[in-house]
Every structure is written in structure tokens, then in C-alpha cells.
Amino acid sequence: MAKAEKSGGGIWETVKTVFWALIIAGVFRSLFFQPFWIPSGSMKDTLLIGDFLFVNKMSYGYSYASCPSVYLPAVGVDIDAKDICGWMDGDNTRIFGSEPDRGDVAVFRHPVTGRDFIKRVIGLPGDQIQVRNGVLHINDVPVEMERNGTFTETAAPQGPQQLRPRCENGPVGDGGVCEKSRWTETLPNGVAHDVLNIAMQGSDNTPVYTVPAGHYFMMGDNRDNSSDSRVPSAAGGVGFVPFENLIGKANRVVFSSAGNSMLYFWTWRGDRFFEKIQ
């Protein structure tokens, strides 16, 4: 009898340990850092498909978007942050709020779909943003652009979604060298970062966007292959991002894998481990 009671007590202790471990992990993720896996090439070459990083949630304070969303379509799980912290939604404010700086690489909730996106903060409230012939203009002043060589990668499906890269020298067959011209863009506050060019297209010539109060204008560094604020959210793009939709700032790549799974150690990019995000 004593042995059975001891066995039952051991199982109960295990259940309690797992329960509290999950609670602590959930609190840690909600308040401090959120893991984020780069699924697409919209931020190349700053971030590559398969980069893994932690987003610092303390950078901008807290809102409903700070609560985790769990989206696992394969098993029918779709828990939205609003399901947990919806009581904080609606007034576009934050607790311990701190505004992002121009040039920050930030994770945010898409204003319509609610899915997590990662882009660069380009426009602040009140700014006028326009792209002319592929050159970003902020408040009618072109940003400084300097050619910085060529970004190359293998023309082949990438990551779990098997996305094929677009190439400036394309079309390129499987296994060929895919090239994009690389430029260093310097924003008005001195933040310098690389952007890639593929071709002249509609997103290289835009109307003037005036960023509303309490909102931000986001763009991907892979300028010709990014769904961002250049397209209104009602038309399938990102549009202006409300302050409360910010989740946190990305500071450093922790791990990177070029394969379909992080378990394929032969595809790990060791040179990107702990690389600072510019």
C-alpha cells in the first residue's frame, strides 16, 4: 500500500513540476523574450531564412501583443494573443511604453491577420515616406545610398517552406548562382544597413505615405521581395503598424540553419551564431 501511495505521489509531483515549468516558461516568454524563426527572405541579407533569434520584449514595453500566440494548423491549434490579453487591446497604448528608433528591426503583429512579422522601422509618426526609382525618401529627402558589392546565394528551394529566391540575374536554374545588387542605406539618424535590389517594379515608385500619430512605417531590407507598409493592409500588405502591435526588438541572431530543419546539423551556419543585427 505504501509503495502504491509513493508511486502515485511521484506521478503527482511530476505533473506539478511540468505544470509550473510551463507557467514559468509562459511568463518568461510574455514578459522578456520571444523566440522567432525567420520563415521568408524579406529581410535578406540582414536576416536569412532559417535564422533563429530572441525578440526583446522589454524594448518597447507591453501591450496585448506581448502575450504569446500559438498557431499550429497541423493540429488545429490557433490561440491568439487577443484571446489571452484582449483586455489590453483597443487604445493603442503600452505599459512602460518606449517608442522604437528609426532603423530598429522589430517584430510586430500584422494589423489584419495578427500573424507575427519582422521588418525594419523606417517611418515614425508624422513622417512622409516615399520610394522614387528605388531610393527611399524620408520627408522629401533621399537617404544616402552607397553600392556595397553583390549578395549571392544558391538558386534552390530554401527553408521548411521551400521558397525559391528571386534573382537580379535571373531566371537562374537549380544550383546556379543567384545574384542581387547590395547597397548600404544610411537613415537620417545615422543607422546604416544593407538593402538588396532585384528589379525595377511597382514598389520602387510609390505615392507619398504620411505616417499617422501612434503608427509606424515598416519595410523589409530585401526591398523587391517584401510585403510591408508600402501596400495598405486592406490590399493584403502591412500598412501602418499601430504602436500597440509592436512585440519587441531583434538584437542578435542566436542560431542559423540553411536546411529544412534545425536538426540537420550539416546545414548549420556557424558563422551566423550570435551575430549582431545591424
Side-chain angles (χ1 to χ4, degrees), residues 14-37:
T14 299
V15 170
K16 288 196 296 183
T17 300
V18 171
F19 172 79
W20 285 112
L22 292 174
I23 292 294
I24 292 171
V27 170
F28 183 85
R29 181 180 175 184
S30 297
L31 296 181
F32 303 112
F33 297 96
Q34 174 177 318
F36 192 85
W37 189 277

Side-chain angles (χ1 to χ4, degrees), residues 109-138:
R109 284 174 54 86
H110 190 288
V112 175
T113 68
R115 301 303 176 210
D116 292 351
F117 269 48
I118 185 166
K119 306 290 180 184
R120 191 176 297 273
V121 180
I122 295 296
L124 305 179
D127 280 343
Q128 290 190 324
I129 305 296
Q130 186 180 27
V131 181
R132 303 179 199 163
N133 295 319
V135 178
L136 172 66
H137 288 63
I138 300 177

Side-chain angles (χ1 to χ4, degrees), residues 26-268:
V27 170
F28 183 85
R29 181 180 175 184
S30 297
L31 296 181
F32 303 112
F33 297 96
Q34 174 177 318
F36 192 85
W37 189 277
I38 303 300
S40 74
S42 69
M43 282 295 293
K44 291 177 181 177
D45 65 342
T46 302
L47 296 170
L48 304 181
I49 295 176
D51 282 350
F52 180 81
L53 48 89
F54 283 98
V55 179
N56 185 351
K57 291 191 171 184
M58 296 176 285
S59 298
Y60 308 133
Y62 303 95
S63 71
Y64 84 95
S66 303
C67 286
S69 295
V70 183
Y71 181 58
L72 300 171
V75 293
V77 175
D78 189 0
I79 302 174
D80 191 85
K82 288 185 178 180
D83 297 333
I84 305 171
C85 296
W87 56 274
M88 287 196 291
D89 179 32
D91 58 2
N92 203 23
T93 60
R94 306 182 71 88
I95 300 171
F96 307 118
S98 178
E99 296 183 1
D101 293 322
R102 195 190 311 275
D104 283 1
V105 175
V107 173
F108 59 92
R109 284 174 54 86
H110 190 288
V112 175
T113 68
R115 301 303 176 210
D116 292 351
F117 269 48
I118 185 166
K119 306 290 180 184
R120 191 176 297 273
V121 180
I122 295 296
L124 305 179
D127 280 343
Q128 290 190 324
I129 305 296
Q130 186 180 27
V131 181
R132 303 179 199 163
N133 295 319
V135 178
L136 172 66
H137 288 63
I138 300 177
N139 298 321
D140 207 31
V141 178
V143 300
E144 179 183 335
M145 298 282 288
E146 182 178 355
R147 184 63 190 263
N148 186 19
T150 301
F151 173 76
T152 63
E153 58 186 336
T154 302
Q158 300 177 355
Q161 298 181 33
Q162 294 291 280
L163 301 176
R164 294 187 60 86
R166 292 179 59 207
C167 313
E168 190 173 21
N169 62 326
V172 178
D174 277 352
V177 177
C178 177
E179 298 179 352
K180 301 175 181 66
S181 53
R182 179 168 53 204
W183 298 76
T184 297
E185 180 179 88
T186 303
L187 300 176
N189 60 346
V191 173
H193 60 97
D194 289 342
V195 296
L196 302 181
N197 180 70
I198 300 172
M200 187 60 65
Q201 56 188 44
S203 57
D204 287 316
N205 286 282
T206 72
V208 176
Y209 303 96
T210 300
V211 185
H215 290 72
Y216 297 89
F217 194 95
M218 310 296 223
M219 295 180 70
D221 291 347
N222 192 2
R223 289 287 163 81
D224 294 336
N225 194 31
S226 174
S227 174
D228 51 39
S229 293
R230 287 172 289 180
V231 177
S233 55
V238 170
F240 301 120
V241 176
F243 184 38
E244 67 179 353
N245 281 39
L246 298 176
I247 294 174
K249 181 180 179 181
N251 293 312
R252 193 175 295 273
V253 174
V254 176
F255 171 84
S256 184
S257 172
N260 295 347
S261 169
M262 62 183 297
L263 300 178
Y264 298 166
F265 65 87
W266 57 90
T267 66
W268 292 356

